[in-house]
Amino acid sequence: MANVVELKVGLHCNECIKKILKAIKKIQADIETYDIDTQLNKVTVTGNVSSEEVIRVIHKIGKTATTWGAEGDGVTC
């Protein structure tokens, strides 16, 4: 069964988006889909993956990520 992971991430520039996409693609899990909404600063990943796993790879590239709806805005470029 697929999990849907929704995160708030700073998406201020194209370089940020490229880094995040590259990091998500490297996750060693069965990712079915992923989407980035630059208007909402929202990253959605669907597949056999946990929130913690996606947050970890995003933090590894120096970005701040929080679960969607959590306190704090998670916006840092």
Side-chain angles (χ1 to χ4, degrees), residues 10-46:
L11 302 169
H12 292 155
C13 64
N14 285 335
E15 202 56 40
C16 294
I17 295 167
K18 287 178 189 175
K19 286 180 182 179
I20 291 167
L21 285 173
K22 188 175 180 181
I24 289 170
K25 289 176 184 178
K26 286 184 176 181
I27 296 173
Q28 300 295 318
D30 296 325
I31 294 177
E32 295 173 13
T33 63
Y34 52 87
D35 181 61
I36 292 183
D37 185 328
T38 56
Q39 295 284 325
L40 297 174
N41 286 320
K42 184 177 183 179
V43 173
T44 306
V45 180
T46 305

Side-chain angles (χ1 to χ4, degrees), residues 30-77:
D30 296 325
I31 294 177
E32 295 173 13
T33 63
Y34 52 87
D35 181 61
I36 292 183
D37 185 328
T38 56
Q39 295 284 325
L40 297 174
N41 286 320
K42 184 177 183 179
V43 173
T44 306
V45 180
T46 305
N48 185 22
V49 64
S50 68
S51 299
E52 294 79 15
E53 197 171 5
V54 180
I55 289 171
R56 186 172 5 99
V57 297
I58 292 173
H59 284 181
K60 207 172 195 180
I61 61 168
K63 301 297 292 173
T64 302
T66 57
T67 54
W68 190 254
E71 289 297 316
D73 64 5
V75 177
T76 304
C77 191

